[in-house]
Amino acid sequence: GNSSIADAYGWSELNGLGYQYFQRLPKLVEAITDKDIRRVAKTYFGKAKTFIVRVMPRDGAPASH
């Protein structure tokens, strides 16, 4: 609805993208190539960036199953 569109336009303006960002977005997404995806994947998901995350309860908190 109108309020959702106004919200999206407002956030786009606040983030410096301009209120017409959502009109440009489909063309921006279509312009992404396989090469772009591979480059970004290598940057953020390379072996040198591998890590392990363990989520554990705080001390004294019962473990949930």
Side-chain angles (χ1 to χ4, degrees):
N2 289 339
S3 61
S4 295
I5 293 170
D7 184 60
Y9 285 179
W11 281 110
S12 293
E13 280 293 319
L14 286 172
N15 289 310
L17 300 171
Y19 73 92
Q20 294 179 335
Y21 175 71
F22 286 97
Q23 292 172 340
R24 295 189 324 266
L25 186 58
K27 288 183 182 179
L28 294 172
V29 172
E30 287 176 13
I32 297 170
T33 65
D34 292 347
K35 186 177 178 181
D36 295 328
I37 293 170
R38 286 188 192 98
R39 178 180 46 80
V40 171
K42 281 183 181 180
T43 301
Y44 294 104
F45 302 116
K47 290 181 181 178
K49 305 270 183 174
T50 302
F51 58 93
I52 296 172
V53 176
R54 292 186 182 157
V55 179
M56 302 176 70
R58 288 185 248 163
D59 291 340
S64 61
H65 298 279

